[in-house]
Amino acid sequence: MDSDFSHAFQKELICVICSNYLVDPVTICCGHSFCRPCLCLSWEEAQSPANCPACSEPSQKQDFKTNILLKNLVTITRKASLWQFLSSEKQICGTHRETKKMFCDVEKSLLCLLCSNSQEHGTHKHYPIEGAAEEHREKLLKQMRILWEKIQENQRNLNEERRTAFLWRGDVVLRAQMIRNEYRKLHPVLHREEKQHLERLNKEDQEIFQQLQRSWVKMDQKSKHLKEMYQELMKMCHKPDVELLQVRMEDSVLLHMPQPVNPELTARPITGLVDRLNHFRVEIAFTWEVTNHNIRLFEDVRSWMLRRGSLNSDRSDYFAAWGTQVFSSGKHYWELDVDNSWDWALGVCKDSWIRKNSTMVTSKDIFLLLCVKVDSRFSLLTTSPMFPHYVEKPLGQVGVFLDFESGSVSFLNVTRSSLIWSYPAGSLNFPVRPFFYTGHR
């Protein structure tokens, strides 16, 4: 009867994924419990909600807390198994006829208390085997948590690098067409400059795309290596206490992680670009300059870029300004200074968008160029729809050109006399008001 009860009790402490005693057990929504490492690997590529490996019930992925009760019960069971092992005749010291309760860290062997104090072993480090095994397992689990964070970081970087490579190619194709369209508006004598401009663009495209490819191959290899390390550590954790203690391990997991490429095209000048648009120069007066916490432009953009939920921002010194004049026809060009701005957004928008007093960057009522800082990198994006642009950040003046005849909005790097972005013809078909939004560090 006692044997049946013991067997049934131990069965409840077994992970159904790995068929070993639970290690760092977590309990999910349906009530089933698993080793945290096993669940992490099982759910790594699963969609949310994921299915329970035991009953297939959907369960939301979350940072589950360690089930302390189960962990303690497993520890007690392991100790019982350990003492049963130590009580065997093989583990009785042949010299002193005492149980080998001490672990020698130098020789990775079991000793009785008298042997551990002998002249032969006196200078070695010794630990009571019972506590040493659990401490060893906890060190492994700590390494695994660090390693799992690295695995997730590397996977995020890999996904971002592949996404960047896809968007990069699209951006370059659109940019080449945009440059051709702009040169058609200028003097035919610039045909040679246009050809050189496009050739350099194509050369940069090839070089940077190869960098992106090499980067994601390196990240993919790193991902496989990290998972192999993780699975090896998981196997160690499942070893019986005596075997676990005999495994030599490093004190910490030191890993060099491949970093994403930051692709950026050179802002090349187009001769006569700014001179042509200066014929349509207008002076813009801004009013209603307010600090506005309800316009979540940069928070929304960062969330979109990082593919996460809403992010809190510690920057409360944003201010928004709207032009006093509404434009509905003709051609109009103005410039704004962004040199000392922390984050900034400029362009035009509908009056109705302003009155909403909050927004998502996916709104079709705005044509904005945004410069957003995430970590140490600046990124340029445009709205309607949200699209990243891999070109160097403008310093100094940024030009905005409205052309209601073609229905387009363009943004210029004035210092470089280069085109940052021009919306396709027909994009602009409603009255708009100039808009400027910025923050300072």
Side-chain angles (χ1 to χ4, degrees):
M1 182 69 180
D2 289 343
S3 176
D4 291 342
F5 174 79
S6 176
H7 180 73
F9 176 75
Q10 291 180 27
K11 187 178 179 182
E12 293 303 313
L13 303 178
I14 297 295
C15 171
V16 299
I17 298 176
C18 66
S19 301
N20 292 301
Y21 281 132
L22 291 161
V23 168
D24 196 10
V26 292
T27 303
I28 63 175
C29 304
C30 60
H32 288 109
S33 300
F34 309 93
C35 303
R36 185 190 297 273
C38 292
L39 193 65
C40 285
L41 289 172
S42 176
W43 278 3
E44 184 185 14
E45 297 181 2
Q47 299 295 318
S48 189
N51 294 327
C52 169
C55 67
S56 299
E57 183 177 318
S59 179
Q60 290 294 336
K61 292 182 178 181
Q62 53 183 289
D63 185 19
F64 294 104
K65 302 293 184 184
T66 299
N67 189 319
I68 301 298
L69 175 60
L70 277 178
K71 183 176 181 179
N72 291 340
L73 290 175
V74 171
T75 300
I76 292 169
T77 305
R78 286 186 186 279
K79 286 181 180 179
S81 299
L82 174 62
W83 283 112
Q84 186 177 5
F85 170 78
L86 294 176
S87 299
S88 66
E89 183 63 28
K90 290 182 179 180
Q91 299 307 317
I92 300 298
C93 175
T95 304
H96 303 105
R97 301 306 297 169
E98 288 192 6
T99 303
K100 298 176 181 178
K101 299 179 180 179
M102 303 302 292
F103 176 72
C104 176
D105 194 40
V106 175
E107 296 187 1
K108 302 294 181 185
S109 61
L110 299 178
L111 302 170
C112 75
L113 184 60
L114 292 173
C115 285
S116 68
N117 291 323
S118 67
Q119 186 176 0
E120 182 184 353
H121 297 281
T123 58
H124 297 171
K125 285 186 178 180
H126 303 95
Y127 307 96
I129 185 172
E130 185 179 297
E134 283 305 311
E135 185 179 339
H136 208 67
R137 190 171 280 109
E138 284 301 316
K139 284 183 180 179
L140 283 174
L141 287 171
K142 183 179 180 180
Q143 286 197 1
M144 291 178 71
R145 291 188 193 103
I146 294 170
L147 187 55
W148 186 253
E149 289 174 2
K150 295 293 184 182
I151 289 171
Q152 299 306 300
E153 176 191 339
N154 187 72
Q155 189 59 48
R156 286 193 298 270
N157 289 341
L158 177 57
N159 293 340
E160 184 60 28
E161 207 73 325
R162 286 172 172 162
R163 176 173 172 264
T164 297
F166 174 76
L167 293 172
W168 168 266
R169 275 292 158 97
D171 183 48
V172 171
V173 170
L174 292 172
R175 192 164 297 281
Q177 186 58 50
M178 181 182 72
I179 290 166
R180 290 189 190 96
N181 291 340
E182 197 58 42
Y183 271 105
R184 289 193 189 109
K185 302 171 188 174
L186 299 168
H187 199 280
V189 76
L190 295 175
H191 174 72
R192 183 177 178 182
E193 181 185 303
E194 176 187 357
K195 183 180 178 182
Q196 290 176 341
H197 196 136
L198 292 172
E199 285 174 350
R200 289 168 183 163
L201 175 65
N202 182 63
K203 184 179 179 182
E204 267 192 303
D205 170 31
Q206 296 298 326
E207 291 173 352
I208 293 176
F209 189 71
Q210 286 175 9
Q211 289 179 30
L212 289 166
Q213 285 180 313
R214 288 194 296 269
S215 177
W216 87 53
V217 167
K218 190 182 296 183
M219 289 178 183
D220 193 46
Q221 291 171 342
K222 174 63 75 172
S223 179
K224 293 174 183 175
H225 175 61
L226 293 176
K227 286 179 186 175
E228 287 172 0
M229 290 176 63
Y230 191 80
Q231 289 168 340
E232 188 62 35
L233 290 176
M234 188 165 67
K235 288 178 184 177
M236 290 184 195
C237 282
H238 287 306
K239 286 180 180 293
D241 288 355
V242 175
E243 290 183 35
L244 175 64
L245 287 171
Q246 292 171 347
V247 174
R248 296 186 182 274
M249 69 173 192
E250 300 296 329
D251 290 336
S252 61
V253 181
L254 299 176
L255 299 167
H256 173 71
M257 302 297 292
Q259 295 303 304
V261 174
N262 186 18
E264 187 177 270
L265 290 167
T266 304
R268 289 195 170 84
I270 297 177
T271 301
L273 175 63
V274 176
D275 291 339
R276 181 177 71 85
L277 297 183
N278 269 328
H279 289 99
F280 310 105
R281 187 74 172 255
V282 293
E283 293 302 319
I284 302 295
F286 286 95
T287 190
W288 312 323
E289 188 173 298
V290 292
T291 300
N292 196 320
H293 300 281
N294 296 320
I295 298 180
R296 294 180 51 83
L297 265 179
F298 299 123
E299 291 87 344
D300 290 341
V301 170
R302 288 187 180 92
S303 297
W304 180 86
M305 290 171 67
L306 299 173
R307 293 295 190 265
R308 299 177 189 165
S310 180
L311 299 175
N312 293 324
S313 175
D314 60 356
R315 300 172 183 84
S316 58
D317 52 352
Y318 290 139
F319 69 83
W322 294 274
T324 57
Q325 187 176 354
V326 174
F327 297 108
S328 58
S329 62
K331 297 180 180 182
H332 313 277
Y333 174 72
W334 65 91
E335 296 175 357
L336 292 169
D337 192 344
V338 297
D339 228 0
N340 297 317
S341 299
W342 169 244
D343 292 329
W344 51 262
L346 55 82
V348 293
C349 61
K350 264 187 179 181
D351 273 350
S352 58
W353 178 79
I354 296 172
R355 287 194 295 270
K356 288 176 185 176
N357 207 30
S358 73
T359 183
M360 291 294 291
V361 291
T362 51
S363 172
K364 295 180 180 179
D365 297 337
I366 55 177
F367 295 93
L368 300 179
L369 172 68
L370 302 102
C371 179
V372 180
K373 187 178 183 182
V374 177
D375 297 327
S376 60
R377 293 171 54 178
F378 285 96
S379 297
L380 292 180
L381 306 97
T382 49
T383 60
S384 301
M386 280 295 300
F387 194 77
H389 298 281
Y390 303 102
V391 66
E392 66 182 78
K393 174 180 177 285
L395 299 174
Q397 301 286 323
V398 172
V400 183
F401 178 54
L402 299 187
D403 184 353
F404 279 94
E405 292 180 12
S406 65
S408 178
V409 182
S410 302
F411 300 106
L412 282 74
N413 181 334
V414 177
T415 304
R416 297 283 192 176
S417 187
S418 67
L419 191 60
I420 298 172
W421 176 244
S422 184
Y423 284 93
S427 300
L428 180 64
N429 53 18
F430 49 80
V432 291
R433 188 185 294 273
F435 176 78
F436 184 50
Y437 189 59
T438 188
H440 295 274
R441 188 177 179 121

